[in-house]
Amino acid sequence: MKGVIIIVILIFTFLFNSENFKQESFRNHYECLKILNPQIPMGNWRLEQHYNSFEKEYYSFYMDKIDTFYNISFYVKDSESVLCEKKYMILEYQKKYSDLNNNYYLLMDYDTLYFYQQSKKSNQKKFYRGKYYYLYSTPEEMRNYKKCQHEYFQEHLDSLVKIRGDNLPELPCN
């Protein structure tokens, strides 16, 4: 009986310390991530993935906060650097939330890549920003366009991702 109690205590201690490690792990990175993207909230982030690859550490965390889902993926590219800009690379930051009639989706790295609302009734999307990015980087949408349009998008990516609105013309071919 005494042995069972000790095993239960050890399991509880391991699980508690494991969860604390996950939380502490995000807290260790939060200050720099917040500098790189001020929209990232503090909260109960949970570690989804962590691995080392080619001398870089990759992390993915997620969090549910009331009616909002968050996800962030980043890697530490230079652990010796004290400058956040040199130390971290945010790969993706997602935020999803809803109201009575719509779902909202935001995808960012350091800046907004796309932001749209989607009607719960019709599934129709209304873009506020980044429609071109969404259309030319989402696999299920990409197949609707010609190769030359994808090439045009890649060549003009910096300016096209900043275009606001929903009623946009198709991209030309070069």
Side-chain angles (χ1 to χ4, degrees), residues 102-170:
N102 299 295
N103 294 314
Y104 297 87
Y105 300 90
L106 171 71
L107 178 69
M108 304 179 80
D109 50 13
Y110 301 99
D111 196 3
T112 303
L113 297 175
Y114 63 73
F115 177 51
Y116 67 88
Q117 75 181 40
Q118 185 172 22
S119 169
K120 290 181 179 179
K121 292 179 184 173
S122 69
N123 269 349
Q124 184 175 356
K125 296 177 177 87
K126 177 184 175 190
F127 282 84
Y128 296 100
R129 186 169 183 175
K131 185 173 183 177
Y132 284 131
Y133 184 87
Y134 179 84
L135 294 176
Y136 289 92
S137 64
T138 307
E140 55 271 6
E141 296 289 341
M142 288 172 64
R143 65 178 144 243
N144 298 324
Y145 299 96
K146 298 174 191 162
K147 182 180 179 192
C148 58
Q149 290 174 303
H150 287 283
E151 291 167 354
Y152 184 91
F153 174 75
Q154 291 301 323
E155 287 175 26
H156 301 91
L157 177 67
D158 289 347
S159 57
L160 289 173
V161 295
K162 295 178 181 164
I163 295 174
R164 297 178 181 270
D166 193 48
N167 192 14
L168 304 175
E170 277 197 25

Side-chain angles (χ1 to χ4, degrees), residues 3-81:
V4 171
I5 293 173
I6 291 173
I7 291 173
V8 168
I9 290 172
L10 288 173
I11 291 172
F12 177 75
T13 304
F14 172 77
L15 292 174
F16 180 76
N17 286 336
S18 167
E19 189 60 34
N20 280 346
F21 169 77
K22 291 176 185 178
Q23 285 302 305
E24 194 58 41
S25 180
F26 185 78
R27 284 189 196 110
N28 291 342
H29 303 291
Y30 180 71
E31 292 303 318
C32 272
L33 295 174
K34 185 76 172 171
I35 289 169
L36 297 175
N37 186 331
Q39 293 198 30
I40 298 171
M42 188 56 183
N44 190 24
W45 289 90
R46 299 190 179 282
L47 182 64
E48 182 174 34
Q49 225 177 14
H50 172 239
Y51 60 86
N52 293 317
S53 173
F54 303 108
E55 301 178 11
K56 297 175 183 165
E57 277 190 278
Y58 171 84
Y59 292 90
S60 180
F61 288 88
Y62 70 94
M63 171 176 66
D64 287 309
K65 198 171 189 179
I66 306 172
D67 65 345
T68 306
F69 172 79
Y70 300 91
N71 180 278
I72 186 166
S73 301
F74 62 92
Y75 66 84
V76 181
K77 56 184 181 178
D78 182 2
S79 59
E80 302 298 317
S81 179

